[in-house]
Coordinates of all heavy atoms in Angstrom, one line a residue:
Chain A
E130 N 90.6 104.3 84.7 CA 89.5 105.2 84.5 C 88.2 104.6 84.9 O 88.0 103.4 84.7 CB 89.4 105.6 83.0 CG 90.5 106.5 82.5 CD 90.3 106.9 81.0 OE1 89.3 106.3 80.3 OE2 91.0 107.7 80.5
L131 N 87.3 105.4 85.4 CA 85.9 105.0 85.6 C 85.0 105.8 84.7 O 85.1 107.1 84.7 CB 85.5 105.3 87.1 CG 84.0 105.3 87.4 CD1 83.4 103.9 87.2 CD2 83.8 105.7 88.9
N132 N 84.2 105.2 83.9 CA 83.3 105.8 83.0 C 81.9 105.5 83.4 O 81.5 104.4 83.7 CB 83.5 105.3 81.5 CG 84.9 105.6 81.0 OD1 85.3 106.7 80.8 ND2 85.7 104.5 80.9
V133 N 81.1 106.6 83.4 CA 79.7 106.4 83.7 C 78.9 107.1 82.6 O 79.0 108.2 82.3 CB 79.3 107.1 85.1 CG1 77.8 106.7 85.4 CG2 80.2 106.6 86.2
N134 N 78.0 106.3 81.9 CA 77.2 106.7 80.9 C 75.8 107.1 81.4 O 75.4 106.6 82.4 CB 77.1 105.7 79.8 CG 78.4 105.4 79.1 OD1 79.1 106.4 78.8 ND2 78.7 104.2 78.8
A135 N 75.1 107.9 80.6 CA 73.7 108.2 80.9 C 73.5 108.5 82.4 O 72.7 107.9 83.1 CB 72.8 107.0 80.5
L136 N 74.2 109.6 82.8 CA 74.2 110.0 84.2 C 72.8 110.2 84.7 O 71.9 110.8 84.1 CB 75.0 111.2 84.4 CG 76.5 111.0 84.4 CD1 77.3 112.3 84.2 CD2 77.0 110.3 85.6
E137 N 72.6 109.7 86.0 CA 71.4 109.9 86.7 C 71.6 110.8 87.9 O 72.8 110.9 88.4 CB 70.8 108.6 87.1 CG 70.5 107.7 85.9 CD 70.0 106.3 86.4 OE1 69.8 106.1 87.6 OE2 69.7 105.5 85.5
L138 N 70.6 111.4 88.5 CA 70.8 112.3 89.6 C 71.4 111.5 90.8 O 72.2 112.0 91.6 CB 69.4 112.9 90.1 CG 68.8 113.8 89.1 CD1 67.4 114.3 89.6 CD2 69.7 115.0 88.7
D139 N 71.0 110.2 90.9 CA 71.5 109.4 92.0 C 73.0 109.0 91.9 O 73.6 108.4 92.8 CB 70.7 108.1 92.2 CG 69.3 108.3 92.8 OD1 69.1 109.5 93.3 OD2 68.5 107.4 92.8
D140 N 73.6 109.3 90.8 CA 75.0 109.1 90.6 C 75.8 110.2 91.3 O 77.1 110.0 91.4 CB 75.4 109.1 89.1 CG 74.7 107.9 88.4 OD1 74.4 106.9 89.0 OD2 74.5 108.1 87.1
S141 N 75.2 111.2 91.8 CA 75.9 112.2 92.6 C 76.5 111.6 93.8 O 75.8 111.0 94.6 CB 74.9 113.4 93.0 OG 74.5 114.0 91.8
A142 N 77.8 111.7 93.9 CA 78.5 111.0 95.0 C 80.0 111.4 95.0 O 80.5 112.0 94.0 CB 78.4 109.5 94.9
L143 N 80.7 110.9 96.0 CA 82.2 111.0 96.0 C 82.7 109.6 95.4 O 82.3 108.6 95.9 CB 82.7 111.2 97.4 CG 84.2 111.2 97.6 CD1 84.9 112.4 96.9 CD2 84.6 111.1 99.1
Y144 N 83.5 109.6 94.4 CA 84.0 108.4 93.8 C 85.5 108.3 94.3 O 86.3 109.1 94.0 CB 83.9 108.5 92.3 CG 82.5 108.3 91.9 CD1 81.6 109.4 91.8 CD2 82.0 107.1 91.6 CE1 80.3 109.3 91.5 CE2 80.6 106.9 91.2 CZ 79.8 108.0 91.2 OH 78.5 107.9 90.8

Side-chain angles (χ1 to χ4, degrees):
Chain A
E130 286 183 355
L131 164 64
N132 299 291
V133 187
N134 293 322
L136 283 167
E137 300 177 0
L138 298 179
D139 284 349
D140 295 334
S141 295
L143 177 68
Y144 288 84

